[in-house]
Structure formats: structure tokens, C-alpha cells
Amino acid sequence: MTTRVIAHGEVSLWSEDFGDPAAPPLLLIAGGNLSAKSWPDAFVALLAERGHHVIRYDHRDTGRSTATDFQAFQARPYGFDELVSDALAVLDGWEVPAAHVVGMSLGHTIGQLLAVDHPDRLLSLTLMLGGALDVDFDANIERAMSGAPSADGLPLPTRRFLDVIALMSEPVDGPEAELERRVEKWRLLNGEDLPFDADEFRRRELRAVAHAGSFQEPINHHMIPQPPVSRGAELAGVRVPTLAIQAMRDPAAPPPHARHVADLIPGARVVELPEMGHALASAVHEPLAAAITSHTLRTPHRVTT
């Protein structure tokens, strides 16, 4: 395992790898306001053991990557175009012409944009815990809060997800209270069915804090507007082999959101994980890694010089 800090314009992106550098590369793109450490070490090790050179990185404004003071800008300092460019910069920094890409939540959106705009950099795409580009997720949250019906027929975020938003908006007093709030956030996101190990998530959060050097949780990604929903129509032109994983107890993107995005991408497949929520609990590591690698390892490894 090695680390690299990748210079990308005015931004530095922290990254690290697992596994054999000669193995097919796999890039993990984390959720919003989450660093590379949101991909649990044990899960990343499974992907490496199953035959991948795994790379994970800190989004800008997370972990050890460059932080931006949004309040210092009259206009937003960046959006999804820049986050997509960051992912490409990480591949360049590791001298990877093309990789299998796995995106969760915010990374779900970045993965779709990569497939639309930069298909030559993807060997395959795995999407989970998010909505298709034609879904206005921010508007859906507002509808769920107001009790309004879905505008597109897809399920809105559930009460548990709204409870997370309320929880994270409450002030806390001191590091210990912040830590317990983060653990409670993951309990809610984990869903109703899967047993929740509070100690496991407390240890993960402490590792994330140690990595970032701060208990202050990033929030800047919440201020980034979603791509125009009109971009959803572009998914019909995607030819990257795509897997959409439906976490059946995901409070943010309940079923059939994965089926919807798969219907938009020609040839895309769906795998359902019955008890999984919007969290990477240890109980889902094995079935999740199996679903991902059964998809990636069936895709020929393209060697580019």
C-alpha cells in the first residue's frame, strides 16, 4: 500500500492504493463529504484479494486533500465538472489509462458523468446508493420534507434519511458529542434490517478524524448543485459495461432507483442486496465485493499504451 498526493491545478488530491499494481485497476469514488477512509479497509482488501489494483482518494474538501472556503467566494468555487476532473486526475496520477470505476452516492453521479463524457477512461462502471442523472435528488428531498408526492414516480428519500438531515443540522458540544452524532447518522443510514455495530462505526469515524486531523465534518459538497436532469438522456449513449447495485434498505435511494438507472443505460445489469442500507457495514462487505468483482472480472482488461 502506497500513498500519492496528486497535484491538479490549484488542488492537491490525497490517494492510496491496495493490491498488485499489475492487476486490473479499480477506482473507488466516495460519497459526498466523505474521504477515502469511508471505504473500509477490510472491504478494499477484499477487492484487492479478488484481483484488483484498488485506488481510493480523498475528494477535494475531505481528508487530506485541498480544502476550500466556500464562504470566501461570491459564486460557488466548483461543481460536478471539477469533481469529475479530479477523478481523472487521480487516474493520471497513478498512470492508469482506464479503470473499473465504482461510485457510491455522490460517486454514483460522478460515475455516470464519467461514462457519458469520458467513456475511454472506464473499463466498467458500478453504481450504488444514488439516483440516475435524470432524477432531481435535491427536489425530491424537499418533496419528502413537505409531504408532496414524487414528481417522477420514483420513491422519495425515506423518513430515516430526513432524520439524518435533521440530526446533522443540530449543534453539538465537543468532539465526543460530534463522534456520537456521526455514529447515530450511520445507524439511521444503515437501515432497519441489518444489525448495526456502533463500535465498528465509531472506530471508522475515529480513523477518518485521525486521517483528516479534525473533528469538523465537511459540508461543502452539500452546496454543489446537481447536474441538469436533462443529462439523463445522454445515458442512452453509454456503452461502458454497467452494474447498478440496489441496496434494498437504502433510505436515500430506495428501490427501484437502481433498476431505473439500469434501464437508461443499454445492457446494464442490476444486483439487489436485500438488507443493505446507505452504509458499508461489515456484514455487506462479502456480498458487495462479490457483486462488484463478478462484474469487473468478466470485463476484458484493456491494455493501453
Side-chain angles (χ1 to χ4, degrees):
M1 181 174 65
T2 58
T3 65
R4 292 184 187 180
V5 176
I6 297 161
H8 178 44
E10 297 180 354
V11 174
S12 294
L13 301 166
W14 183 93
S15 63
E16 68 177 347
D17 74 335
F18 290 71
D20 181 1
L26 187 151
L27 179 69
L28 297 173
I29 305 181
N33 299 303
L34 296 176
S35 73
K37 300 299 182 180
S38 62
W39 297 100
D41 290 353
F43 174 69
V44 178
L46 276 176
L47 297 175
E49 290 167 5
R50 288 172 177 262
H52 279 296
H53 177 215
V54 185
I55 300 166
R56 64 181 178 179
Y57 69 100
D58 292 341
H59 289 298
R60 61 176 72 193
D61 285 324
T62 73
R64 298 180 184 178
S65 290
T66 298
T68 305
D69 182 2
F70 264 47
Q71 305 304 319
F73 291 81
Q74 291 183 343
R76 64 171 178 81
Y78 64 85
F80 272 95
D81 287 346
E82 288 79 8
L83 293 177
V84 168
S85 181
D86 288 348
L88 296 174
V90 172
L91 292 180
D92 291 341
W94 287 91
E95 300 178 347
V96 174
H100 300 280
V101 168
V102 178
M104 69 173 175
S105 200
L106 178 86
H108 186 287
T109 302
I110 294 172
Q112 291 175 80
L113 293 171
L114 284 168
V116 167
D117 295 332
H118 306 277
D120 58 310
R121 304 302 302 270
L122 275 64
L123 298 173
S124 75
L125 176 63
T126 299
L127 302 169
M128 61 183 181
L129 310 183
L133 289 177
D134 68 346
V135 174
D136 190 337
F137 191 69
D138 292 338
N140 281 352
I141 292 175
E142 293 179 6
R143 290 189 182 94
M145 286 181 168
S146 67
S150 169
D152 54 21
L154 290 166
L156 301 174
T158 70
R159 169 50 56 187
R160 290 178 80 93
F161 190 77
L162 301 184
D163 288 346
V164 168
I165 295 174
L167 174 71
M168 299 311 291
S169 67
E170 297 173 358
V172 293
D173 185 15
E176 186 60 32
E178 170 64 19
L179 177 61
E180 292 309 309
R181 175 169 71 170
R182 292 196 196 185
V183 173
E184 175 62 11
K185 173 190 73 174
W186 288 117
R187 185 189 70 79
L188 290 168
L189 291 175
N190 193 59
E192 299 95 335
D193 292 349
L194 203 64
F196 180 72
D197 186 341
D199 289 339
E200 172 192 350
F201 280 88
R202 189 174 292 108
R203 289 192 296 270
R204 287 193 203 170
E205 285 299 313
L206 286 172
R207 283 195 291 270
V209 166
H211 175 64
S214 172
F215 265 95
Q216 184 173 354
E217 188 162 41
I219 60 171
N220 284 354
H221 295 164
H222 294 319
M223 306 179 200
I224 299 172
Q226 293 288 304
V229 294
S230 59
R231 298 219 62 187
E234 299 175 50
L235 294 173
V238 170
R239 297 297 180 264
V240 176
T242 300
L243 172 68
I245 294 176
Q246 180 65 68
M248 297 301 287
R249 306 303 288 175
D250 183 357
H257 273 276
R259 169 51 59 191
H260 176 68
V261 71
D263 286 345
L264 297 176
I265 299 175
R269 299 185 304 112
V270 176
V271 169
E272 297 178 349
L273 296 185
E275 296 182 323
M276 184 177 175
H278 201 86
L280 301 182
S282 58
V284 305
H285 289 181
E286 185 66 35
L288 182 58
I292 292 170
T293 55
S294 67
H295 172 60
T296 57
L297 297 179
R298 69 193 289 177
T299 303
H301 176 38
R302 187 170 74 242
V303 178
T304 306
T305 58

